Amino acid sequence: MTENRERTRCGLVALIGRPNVGKTTLLNRMVGEKLAAITRKPHTTRNRILGIVTQGSTQTVLIDTPGIDPERSRLMNQVLNRTAVQALSDADIVCFIVEAGRFEDGDRFILDAIRSAGRPTVLVVNKVDRVADKTVLLPFLEARAQEHDYLAVVPLSGKTGRNLQGLVDELGRHLPEGPFLYDPEQLSDRPERFRAEEMIREALLERLGQEVPYAVAVQVEGWEDRPGITHIDALILVERQSQKGIVIGKGGQMLKRIGQAARQQLEGLLGRKIMLRLTVRVEEGWSQSNRALRELGIEEPR
Ligand SMILES: Nc1nc2c(ncn2[C@@H]2O[C@H](COP(=O)(O)OP(=O)(O)OP(=O)(O)O)[C@@H](O)[C@H]2O)c(=O)[nH]1
Ligand SMILES: [Mg+2]
């Protein structure tokens, strides 16, 4: 046992980047299971989510974080930024994620935060599948490597899985020696209830227009495992009556489609039949209220 302990490596790796660069896609891919919502829209992730990857004698504990956005006018964005920045200083290694061929002000803002935190950092250049002309990739990688003393610069695609193992190996080499923090069978620190909320929110965000997503939150209120079927009651919170109308849709059609999509995802994920009941409630200004954010688990970092 002692012998084994000396040889294992384990540490925290924070996934940090602008909104929409593909942090959660990478988390889900590396863990091999869908832990959290992914959408085409920025500001999808609202919590710090752990994903645990155990391979042989190495355990990589990934921390997915909300995208850092210098635009701080909304209370929720401020809370999300602080969550990400806290993860940055908690981590043994930082994975700074950018999109292939794009490095903009938002990325520079984050690079400054990484410099201040002073943690060893791997630069992940994601979405390489979108670069048709590979000759443009090399100068991009070289330019990035000049900007900061990274442990490594790793191009990959979270979508196709290309070079994902390259990143796992690179991280493994730099993780500190030490005992595993989690059971090797464990994939996340989040309960099934949280995953259910995420799948419902993903179904909502994918089907709603630009205006509504920021105003939506999901809370599972009831969960009952019965023989052969799990009953889940979930509340969808919106900020205005008009948004409630949009979420419910004409004759309840939109809510029905959202429910069907979320139920299918959940049945695949949890491996059992689900009965899902969704209720929509208006709670004015919840995204600007500290109390409401706390109740929804969108918390200030400890
Ligand atoms: N083409 C391509 N698209 C990707 C890749 N990785 C992620 N995406 C897409 O990028 C969008 C955003 O992905 P997310 O994983 O939600 O991004 P995120 O960084 O977690 O976003 P926030 O949580 O909002 O900060 C989704 O539409 C993904 O399907 C990739 O490697 N290639
Ligand atoms: Mg995300």
Side-chain angles (χ1 to χ4, degrees):
M1 189 67 189
T2 328
E3 211 175 288
N4 200 17
R5 198 173 273 174
E6 277 166 14
R7 286 211 212 101
T8 55
R9 286 175 182 272
C10 180
L12 298 175
V13 175
L15 306 177
I16 303 285
R18 259 192 299 115
N20 225 32
V21 293
K23 298 175 291 299
T24 305
T25 304
L26 199 60
L27 173 92
N28 289 342
R29 261 287 185 160
M30 285 172 80
V31 171
E33 262 205 44
K34 193 151 181 183
L35 300 179
I38 299 174
T39 78
R40 287 169 285 132
K41 303 195 169 98
H43 300 290
T44 298
T45 303
R46 288 179 178 169
N47 313 80
R48 173 190 194 274
I49 303 157
L50 293 192
I52 303 151
V53 184
T54 309
Q55 285 184 357
S57 59
T58 305
Q59 184 168 73
T60 311
V61 182
L62 300 164
I63 314 173
D64 187 19
T65 65
I68 296 178
D69 187 347
E71 170 57 62
R72 289 165 184 267
S73 59
R74 283 168 170 266
L75 173 67
M76 188 163 69
N77 276 2
Q78 292 166 17
V79 172
L80 297 184
N81 279 353
R82 283 199 286 268
T83 301
V85 170
Q86 179 68 45
L88 190 64
S89 46
D90 285 348
D92 293 296
I93 303 175
V94 174
C95 264
F96 175 26
I97 301 163
V98 300
E99 289 174 305
R102 273 178 79 175
F103 199 83
E104 44 194 61
D105 288 350
D107 299 301
R108 274 177 235 287
F109 178 82
I110 296 168
L111 182 54
D112 285 342
I114 287 171
R115 288 196 175 112
S116 319
R119 312 303 296 157
T121 302
V122 171
L123 181 72
V124 172
V125 177
N126 191 28
K127 308 197 184 182
V128 292
D129 58 289
R130 290 211 305 210
V131 182
D133 181 3
K134 299 296 174 204
T135 57
V136 299
L137 195 57
L138 205 59
F140 180 81
L141 298 177
E142 279 167 0
R144 303 288 73 79
Q146 298 295 319
E147 277 164 346
H148 185 70
D149 188 14
Y150 295 110
L151 292 175
V153 177
V154 182
L156 55 74
S157 168
K159 191 170 190 173
T160 67
R162 176 139 178 250
N163 200 27
L164 224 57
Q165 190 58 41
L167 176 63
V168 175
D169 293 345
E170 193 63 52
L171 292 171
R173 272 196 285 280
H174 294 102
L175 285 173
E177 282 191 12
F180 287 174
L181 288 168
Y182 293 91
D183 186 303
E185 301 294 313
Q186 196 176 334
L187 299 180
S188 178
D189 67 330
R190 294 281 170 170
E192 285 183 337
R193 182 182 280 261
F194 174 81
R195 291 171 76 183
E197 289 167 353
E198 286 287 282
M199 292 312 106
I200 297 164
R201 209 161 53 83
E202 184 181 278
L204 272 158
L205 263 55
E206 283 297 359
R207 279 162 190 80
L208 298 175
Q210 287 298 332
E211 180 45 31
V212 185
Y214 301 99
V216 166
V218 176
Q219 215 169 8
V220 166
E221 297 204 302
W223 185 296
E224 199 185 332
D225 290 316
R226 297 187 195 164
I229 191 161
T230 296
H231 286 247
I232 302 173
D233 280 325
L235 183 66
I236 298 171
L237 277 187
V238 293
E239 294 197 304
R240 287 197 296 274
Q241 196 61 36
S242 59
Q243 293 162 342
K244 179 173 174 175
I246 295 170
V247 171
I248 292 174
K250 214 171 172 201
Q253 281 303 311
M254 177 63 103
L255 192 62
K256 195 171 163 191
R257 281 205 297 275
I258 290 164
Q260 273 168 354
R263 180 176 53 76
Q264 275 167 12
Q265 282 258 10
L266 276 169
E267 287 185 342
L269 223 56
L270 305 179
R272 53 183 180 268
K273 263 194 98 53
I274 306 283
M275 168 83 177
L276 180 61
R277 208 177 67 192
L278 298 176
T279 312
V280 186
R281 195 172 80 198
V282 180
E283 187 168 317
E284 259 172 59
W286 69 260
S287 74
Q288 295 288 352
S289 145
N290 266 314
R291 183 188 56 81
L293 291 176
R294 236 184 350 263
E295 278 175 16
L296 290 164
I298 304 168
E299 288 180 80
E300 288 286 344
R302 294 148 293 114

